[in-house]
Amino acid sequence: MNREQLALYQPLHVFDELLFNCVVDDLVEKGYSIQTSALPVFLTDALLACQDAINDTEYKNAGIGRAGDFQHARDIRGDNICWITGSSQEGELWLSWCNALKDFINKHLYLGLFSFESHFACYEPGKFYKRHVDAFKGKSNRVLSLVAYLNEDWNSNYGGELVLYKNDNDAEGIRVVPNLGTFVVFLSEQFPHEVLPATHKRNSVAGWYRVNGSVNDVIDPPR
Ligand code: OGA
Ligand code: MN
């Protein structure tokens, strides 16, 4: 996408107000929102282009917050990730759409979301991410998680669903098929979730909204 085309999509809020409203309503009602094949095509196109442009060597094995032990980490999550820096126009478009959603949520829910960070994740066949929460209560400034899916022609018998559990005791969960354009938003501390193994390569983009954790003039690093 060139600059002229990009300009056509400004201002973003005009395009996304309806969708953003659905997300906010769901967050109020349930604390999560599942939007099936809902991302605008200009955005999935941009994400696919951005993902295509990533060189294999730019993907790194994903780690986990605790346990520095690499083997242990791979037992828990097997994806490879690449952070989105906004160095391409497509990456920038994704970040600005996510920031428009942030502003919208702040305006309606007063969550005080401050920054956003996001990476592509690639799960090779058989890889998974075991049940986890993205933030431990009171231990992190990650408030809201966002995951969007980038798999064209995904067949529901490939596996690879996200399972979103409603609370710590929920054993059943809600399954989300990682189809292109589907995205999920949820409160990071409240919803355990996992990624089931798939028979095919599974691509997603994950992101987190944070509140500002700066104290005593020490700047809180974005990640
Ligand atoms: C994560 C995560 C879910 C997914 O990266 O923390 O839970 O469906 N991803 O890719
Ligand atoms: Mn997660």
Side-chain angles (χ1 to χ4, degrees), residues 185-200:
V185 181
F186 55 91
L187 293 169
S188 305
E189 287 184 353
Q190 265 179 43
F191 295 91
H193 53 281
E194 73 176 303
V195 177
L196 301 178
T199 52
H200 290 62

Side-chain angles (χ1 to χ4, degrees), residues 4 8 36 56 70 79 98 105 109 125 140 157 186 191 223:
E4 284 74 16
L8 283 178
T36 305
D56 276 356
F70 180 73
D79 56 329
C98 293
I105 291 174
L109 300 182
S140 160
N157 65 21
F186 55 91
F191 295 91
R223 74 175 79 116

Side-chain angles (χ1 to χ4, degrees), residues 120-146:
F120 286 103
C122 176
Y123 291 77
E124 293 295 337
K127 300 295 181 189
F128 51 81
Y129 193 162
K130 288 203 171 145
R131 181 169 170 148
H132 65 281
V133 283
D134 287 345
F136 290 99
K137 291 196 173 65
K139 293 262 192 271
S140 160
N141 51 5
R142 280 183 175 179
V143 172
L144 201 64
S145 303
L146 166 66

Side-chain angles (χ1 to χ4, degrees), residues 51-52 54-63 74 77-84 118-129 147-151 154 160 178 195-198 200-206 208:
Q51 178 189 254
D52 268 359
I54 305 171
N55 192 302
D56 276 356
T57 58
E58 293 175 79
Y59 276 101
K60 306 282 177 244
N61 285 331
R74 296 307 274 174
R77 73 183 290 189
D79 56 329
N80 296 323
I81 62 167
C82 179
W83 288 96
I84 301 173
S118 184
H119 64 54
F120 286 103
C122 176
Y123 291 77
E124 293 295 337
K127 300 295 181 189
F128 51 81
Y129 193 162
V147 192
Y149 299 101
L150 298 175
N151 306 292
W154 190 264
V195 177
L196 301 178
H200 290 62
K201 188 193 268 201
R202 174 197 193 270
N203 287 297
S204 60
V205 49
W208 296 272

